[in-house]
Amino acid sequence: MRAVYQKYKPYYLESLKLAIPVIISNVGHTLVQMSDTIIVGHFAGTVSLAAVSTVNSLFMVPLVIGMGISYGLTPLIAQNNGRKNHKECGLLLSNSLFLNILSGIILFSGIYFGTMLLIGHLYQSPEVVKEAKPYLFLLSLSLIPLLIFNTFKQFAEGLGFTKQAMMISIWGNLINILFGIIFVKGLFGIQPMGIRGVGYSTLIDRCLMATVMGIYVFRSKNFKTYLTDFAIKHIDRLRGIQIMKIGAPVAMQYTFEISAFGGAALLVGTIGVVAQAAHQVTITMASMTYMMASGIGAAAAIKSGNYFGVSDHRNLRLAAISNYHIVLLFMTFTAVVFALGRHLLPWIITSDKEVITIASQLLIIAAFFQLFDGAQVVGLGVLRGMGDVNIPTVITFLAYWIIGLPVGYLLGIKLNLGVYGVWYGLVLGLGTASVLLFVRFNLLSKSRKQKPVIPVIAKD
């Protein structure tokens, strides 16, 4: 064990230096949803909590599509920075910002004209649908500033600057919580808004975060050499295609995974309001640990991108394995926390005893899939850094939509295991994804004949 630690120690330190700020920043995105859930659960009631579950299950798919497209920038920045091609990094930022603003507008329009009509036909309780509609509208509108923030965040992180987005996320979440309580409860002379209040607080928070992150990137001396050619006139088809060749498959990967969890929430919604609220409590906890693990996955993508850019396959493999070690150790810890704290953790979100009873049992299941969840997110990160995105997309589709969700439907609905059966299917899907992604990484990283998957655009 000591020999293994000494072998990977430099890579552990490098990865953690990158990963810890990204973890905190990523957790910030989840804390927006979690703080909304906590505020609604304690101040608005069980029906509103079920409405949050319904909205999140519908909103998460457009969210991860947009986030996935924005993630297409990071490995390209990391690879070009590894080659010292600074000018190309600025040109890529111009194109990524345009693509993300366009994506945000399209996704908002899709939610407004599509999902708002669909929500009334998903066999959810009428009182839940009534509560959900205004919250869904405000949350979807906040997607546009969120993707602008994420553009600058991915650019900075691709260059190894991860702390600033972390700090902005921390302050943004404090603002979101403060405004959320004020709006929901109706403090300081403001009329109580109920669930709409957390929608307004989230929108305000994300607009502020996008503004501050943009100011940081354009004013920091760290990026001056990269931004010499940043301009609207440099938006072009080839670089847009280059970003989308990574971003679109990554968006599909996240879509297959998150939509399966969203589909699971809708399946649980057909069982009952209490079961749906318990599902929301548990998935909120699991989402927090997932976003922490995704920070490690982001660090893995950055380092594998750097090494892949200069064809240093030995260090690429060692760095990737070190990230697997880190995430498995971390997720083992969270599994123990879930198992031992299963009766106490749900109280953070709700005081409904029926909901807590079910959620405490679901946390046991969530504890089992922690290792699988961590391994699959690092696997996706490493492969993304190497430019390998198409086969992982097929793997995620197979794991979640061919195996996970159908098995959850069979066990939960057809065999009457209820919400627990739905979650057993999710565990199986995560396990399948983690194993297949590691096999894919192992095959590629041992090959000495790797060639960059993403074409490199020559310097102008």
Side-chain angles (χ1 to χ4, degrees):
M1 183 66 71
R2 182 178 177 82
V4 171
Y5 174 73
Q6 290 300 325
K7 178 181 179 181
Y8 289 100
K9 180 180 176 180
Y11 302 96
Y12 293 149
L13 296 176
E14 262 193 346
S15 294
L16 288 172
K17 185 178 178 181
L18 284 173
I20 290 173
V22 181
I23 289 170
I24 296 172
S25 179
N26 283 356
V27 167
H29 294 312
T30 306
L31 277 175
V32 171
Q33 312 299 129
M34 186 174 185
S35 60
D36 289 353
T37 300
I38 292 171
I39 292 167
V40 169
H42 282 290
F43 298 138
T46 299
V47 172
S48 293
L49 186 59
V52 170
S53 176
T54 298
V55 168
N56 286 344
S57 67
L58 294 170
F59 175 70
M60 287 305 290
V61 172
L63 173 64
V64 298
I65 290 173
M67 297 286 278
I69 291 172
S70 70
Y71 288 160
L73 178 64
T74 308
L76 293 173
I77 294 294
Q79 289 177 17
N80 279 284
N81 192 41
R83 302 183 188 104
K84 308 298 182 184
N85 190 354
H86 297 167
K87 178 181 177 180
E88 184 62 27
C89 293
L91 296 172
L92 286 166
L93 177 61
S94 300
N95 285 270
S96 179
L97 183 60
F98 171 75
L99 281 174
N100 288 326
I101 292 174
L102 182 62
S103 298
I105 294 170
I106 292 172
L107 290 168
F108 165 72
S109 301
I111 295 171
Y112 184 75
F113 294 108
T115 308
M116 292 290 283
L117 297 174
L118 177 67
I119 193 172
H121 304 281
L122 295 175
Y123 305 103
Q124 308 296 294
S125 302
E127 62 269 30
V128 170
V129 173
K130 183 180 178 182
E131 291 271 329
K133 282 186 174 182
Y135 179 50
L136 178 60
F137 171 77
L138 292 166
L139 205 60
S140 61
L141 186 59
S142 75
L143 188 57
I144 298 172
L146 177 61
L147 293 184
I148 294 173
F149 166 79
N150 217 50
T151 304
F152 296 118
K153 173 178 176 288
Q154 297 309 125
F155 172 75
E157 288 180 356
L159 296 173
F161 295 92
T162 58
K163 293 181 181 179
Q164 291 71 25
M166 172 192 74
M167 295 304 300
I168 292 170
S169 295
I170 290 172
W171 282 105
N173 277 284
L174 291 175
I175 292 170
N176 181 63
I177 293 169
L178 178 63
F179 283 3
I181 294 172
I182 291 172
F183 294 157
V184 171
K185 290 286 289 181
L187 304 177
F188 307 111
I190 296 174
Q191 284 290 108
M193 298 182 188
I195 195 172
R196 286 186 299 113
V198 291
Y200 282 118
S201 67
T202 299
L203 178 60
I204 293 169
D205 161 41
R206 287 174 173 169
C207 286
L208 290 173
M209 288 172 63
T211 301
V212 174
M213 192 70 198
I215 291 172
Y216 161 68
V217 167
F218 287 121
R219 289 196 172 184
S220 174
K221 62 182 181 180
N222 296 321
F223 307 115
K224 287 189 181 298
T225 57
Y226 297 94
L227 297 177
T228 53
D229 288 292
F230 175 87
I232 294 176
K233 66 181 180 180
H234 290 138
I235 295 171
D236 66 85
R237 184 174 61 87
L238 290 178
R239 288 185 177 88
I241 292 172
Q242 189 183 20
I243 294 168
M244 288 300 291
K245 279 187 175 181
I246 293 180
V250 171
M252 292 176 67
Q253 292 166 13
Y254 284 114
T255 298
F256 292 145
E257 179 179 358
I258 298 300
S259 64
F261 279 83
L266 295 176
L267 286 179
V268 174
T270 66
I271 297 169
V273 171
V274 174
Q276 190 175 26
H279 170 85
Q280 177 61 23
V281 169
T282 313
I283 205 66
T284 298
M285 302 287 179
S287 296
M288 184 65 66
T289 61
Y290 168 81
M291 291 306 290
M292 292 178 181
S294 72
I296 301 169
I302 294 167
K303 294 310 297 180
S304 62
N306 290 154
Y307 291 129
F308 190 76
V310 292
S311 300
D312 187 346
H313 306 307
R314 178 182 178 277
N315 278 318
L316 187 157
R317 182 170 173 80
L318 290 171
I321 293 294
S322 74
N323 280 288
Y324 269 108
H325 291 170
I326 293 169
V327 83
L328 291 175
L329 182 62
F330 173 73
M331 295 303 261
T332 298
F333 171 75
T334 61
V336 172
V337 171
F338 279 5
L340 296 181
R342 64 187 182 278
H343 296 297
L344 296 176
L345 291 173
W347 285 94
I348 297 173
I349 296 176
T350 182
S351 55
D352 188 313
K353 291 184 179 179
E354 281 188 90
V355 173
I356 290 170
T357 299
I358 298 173
S360 65
Q361 297 302 309
L362 291 178
L363 279 170
I364 292 289
I365 303 173
F368 277 109
F369 73 50
Q370 290 297 288
L371 294 178
F372 296 144
D373 208 10
Q376 65 90 21
V377 77
V378 165
L380 287 172
V382 171
L383 293 170
R384 184 165 70 245
M386 297 167 67
D388 182 55
V389 289
N390 293 325
I391 297 300
T393 301
V394 175
I395 289 172
T396 54
F397 176 74
L398 171 69
Y400 301 118
W401 277 95
I402 302 300
I403 296 174
L405 197 58
V407 170
Y409 174 76
L410 175 66
L411 296 176
I413 307 301
K414 291 298 184 180
L415 299 181
N416 296 317
L417 292 181
V419 62
Y420 308 112
V422 174
W423 274 67
Y424 294 145
L426 295 177
V427 173
L428 185 60
L430 286 166
T432 302
S434 63
V435 171
L436 293 180
L437 288 168
F438 181 77
V439 170
R440 176 67 177 170
F441 155 72
N442 214 32
L443 290 173
L444 284 183
S445 64
K446 287 183 176 180
S447 171
R448 295 293 178 177
K449 297 179 181 180
Q450 299 175 70
K451 295 181 180 178
V453 177
I454 305 302
V456 178
I457 296 177
K459 293 183 182 181
D460 294 338

